[in-house]
Amino acid sequence: MLATCAHRGPLRVQKALYPEGPEVCQAIVLHPPGGIVGGDALDIEVVGAAGAHGLLTTPGAGKWYRSGGRQASQCLRVEVAFGAIVEWLPQETIVFDGAEAQMLTRVDLAAGAVYCGWEILCLGRTAAGERFSQGRLELSTRIEQAGRPLWIERGCLRGGSPWLAAAAGLGGLPVSGTLLLAGRPVEAEWLAACRAVPPAVGLRVGVTALPGVLVARCLGPASEPAKAWLTEVWRRLRPLALARGAVPPRIWST
């Protein structure tokens, strides 16, 4: 159950839902302005108490607008106590051409705690033919369990950089997605189930097992096939790794 909820400014929890029963709280995190502009700073703190299970998502695509030179930031901090599970599954993030964005994620897991989260990034408004030709996107994700690092990743995507088109980089594809499940040893059955998910045409995918972390990644031409593939990976992984059938938030279907 959602025990406490507080907000300052426009960022808030829109609704707490229980389609899986009282054991799992599905919460919708809402940013009413609809997008992030230069100078904005969003701070999200999530605490999963011992034995709790929460799934957080967003009502629609997040948007980072052209900034005009000022940096905007989003900092997500997640603390997960013993035996608790936190799932952070926002809808896709669209980074407009000219945005100056910083996205920071820090997850601290107690022993026996689990985190499952994804990030789907679309560089430019591809439906309008826009590309990420200028601006910058800084990314940083750190996951620790009982003080031991499980996953540390940092990156900086500069608009117009040759790396965006390079084969060793994004290969000219504007959409990337990463799902991380951290906190438990990865079993062979999990990998097999995730690797069996067929990708759409044009989508490049891969699933990897690291000590205490399962990583699923994709690159593609649009956000829809990337989101569909990651959702199916999550559907197949959740019963195996979290011992609970996948119940997608209804907001994903609206």
Side-chain angles (χ1 to χ4, degrees):
M1 302 291 287
L2 182 62
T4 59
C5 178
H7 73 272
R8 183 175 64 185
L11 190 65
R12 65 188 65 193
V13 172
Q14 180 185 32
K15 189 111 176 138
L17 303 168
Y18 299 90
E20 304 180 60
E23 298 84 7
V24 180
C25 175
Q26 293 191 1
I28 301 172
V29 180
L30 176 67
H31 184 237
I36 302 172
V37 300
D40 283 352
L42 303 184
D43 289 295
I44 304 169
E45 296 185 9
V46 180
V47 178
H53 188 163
L55 186 158
L56 297 94
T57 188
T58 55
K63 303 177 184 67
W64 295 75
Y65 294 129
R66 181 189 298 270
S67 74
R70 300 179 66 193
Q71 187 178 67
S73 67
Q74 175 182 289
C75 183
L76 170 67
R77 301 179 183 89
V78 182
E79 295 183 16
V80 192
F82 174 79
I85 300 170
V86 170
E87 298 175 84
W88 172 254
L89 305 173
Q91 301 203 56
E92 64 271 22
T93 297
I94 303 171
V95 183
F96 284 41
D97 188 29
E100 296 282 343
Q102 184 181 59
M103 301 178 66
L104 309 174
T105 300
R106 171 65 186 260
V107 181
D108 290 297
L109 302 172
V114 177
Y115 169 80
C116 180
W118 71 30
E119 190 67 61
I120 304 167
L121 298 174
C122 182
L123 300 180
R125 291 169 290 176
T126 56
E130 180 183 272
R131 292 295 182 263
F132 192 53
S133 61
Q134 56 183 328
R136 182 174 61 180
L137 172 62
E138 296 180 16
L139 301 164
S140 176
T141 301
R142 184 182 184 95
I143 303 176
E144 294 188 359
Q145 186 167 46
R148 180 174 67 91
L150 296 180
W151 178 265
I152 301 173
E153 182 175 40
R154 298 189 66 181
C156 181
L157 304 178
R158 297 183 181 275
S161 167
W163 188 83
L164 300 180
L170 298 185
L173 297 171
V175 175
S176 61
T178 300
L179 180 148
L180 301 170
L181 190 142
R184 291 180 181 167
V186 179
E187 299 183 11
E189 185 182 10
W190 305 1
L191 273 181
C194 294
R195 289 172 174 171
V197 178
V201 175
L203 196 67
R204 304 176 188 175
V205 303
V207 184
T208 305
L210 299 174
V213 184
L214 182 143
V215 185
R217 291 194 189 272
C218 63
L219 281 173
S223 59
E224 290 81 2
K227 182 179 178 181
W229 183 78
L230 286 175
T231 300
E232 187 59 30
V233 167
W234 171 77
R235 283 179 181 271
R236 300 192 188 190
L237 181 62
R238 200 179 195 234
L240 300 172
L242 305 183
R244 185 170 292 275
V247 180
R250 284 184 293 177
I251 196 71
W252 290 359
S253 300
T254 60

